[in-house]
Each structure stands twice: as C-alpha cells, then as structure tokens.
Amino acid sequence: MKISIIGAGAMGGAIAEGLIKGDYIQNEDICVSDPVRQTRDKFANMGITATPSNQLAAQGADIVCVVVKPWLVEQVLKSIKDVLDYDKQTLVVVAAGVKSESIKERNCSR
C-alpha cells in the first residue's frame, strides 16, 4: 500500500513520522510533498520519498492525504485533480473547518 502525504508541516509531518515508526507500511511506500526543501530533506533522510511536486506524490498512491492549512485545500486539490483516480485511490483531507461536502462538490466531480 502506497501512502502520500501532501503537506509535511506539523500535522502532516507527524503522520509521516508515525508511519515511519510503525511496522505496517514500508518506508519506500511513503511519499511526502512539501514546498520547503529543508522539510523534504528531513524526510528523505528518514528513508522516504520526498518531492516538491504534489502531482508526483499523488500519482499511483493508494491513499492520498492532503494535510495543509484550510485556505490551501482548494488550491492543492485543484492541482492534483487531473492525476487522481477516485475509483482506485482514497483521498483524505485533514484541515480544520473544511467540510466534506465542499471537497466533494468542488473536486470529485468529473
């Protein structure tokens, strides 16, 4: 199972670190994307894939976690919409105050 985490700040980073410490997912099956090079380097040094590209992170992942500030959710989802396969991938959005209905209406329709 491949898991991608878009946004490796405090919350996304904690999710990634928890996956790294666990035994269920192999490090090579975890990917983070983040615009900050230092953050990417930190996770790359932990043995997982790190990229500045949200699209690359989302492609081929079984689970795509979008863990960004609420005001960035729509922008990030629009940027990965064309590479997501809603029939094969699970999308998880972790953002305070962002309603599931708004995510579905704006981003899951074809």
Side-chain angles (χ1 to χ4, degrees), residues 18-103:
L19 291 170
I20 291 166
K21 291 178 183 175
D23 295 329
Y24 184 69
I25 305 293
Q26 301 297 315
N27 285 5
E28 58 267 15
D29 291 331
I30 303 169
C31 177
V32 297
S33 67
D34 199 272
V36 178
R37 182 174 183 103
Q38 291 173 324
T39 301
R40 293 192 312 268
D41 290 346
K42 170 187 167 183
F43 286 102
N45 289 334
M46 292 180 182
I48 65 173
T49 302
T51 178
S53 171
N54 296 338
Q55 294 84 4
L56 286 176
Q59 283 180 322
D62 297 298
I63 300 173
V64 178
C65 302
V66 176
V67 191
V68 297
K69 301 289 185 191
W71 57 87
L72 292 174
V73 170
E74 186 174 352
Q75 175 185 338
V76 170
L77 290 174
K78 281 182 182 179
S79 78
I80 63 172
K81 185 175 182 176
D82 292 339
V83 299
L84 289 178
D85 183 342
Y86 294 104
D87 295 326
K88 296 180 182 178
Q89 294 174 298
T90 300
L91 176 65
V92 177
V93 178
V94 180
V98 178
K99 294 183 179 185
S100 299
E101 295 85 18
S102 69
I103 293 168

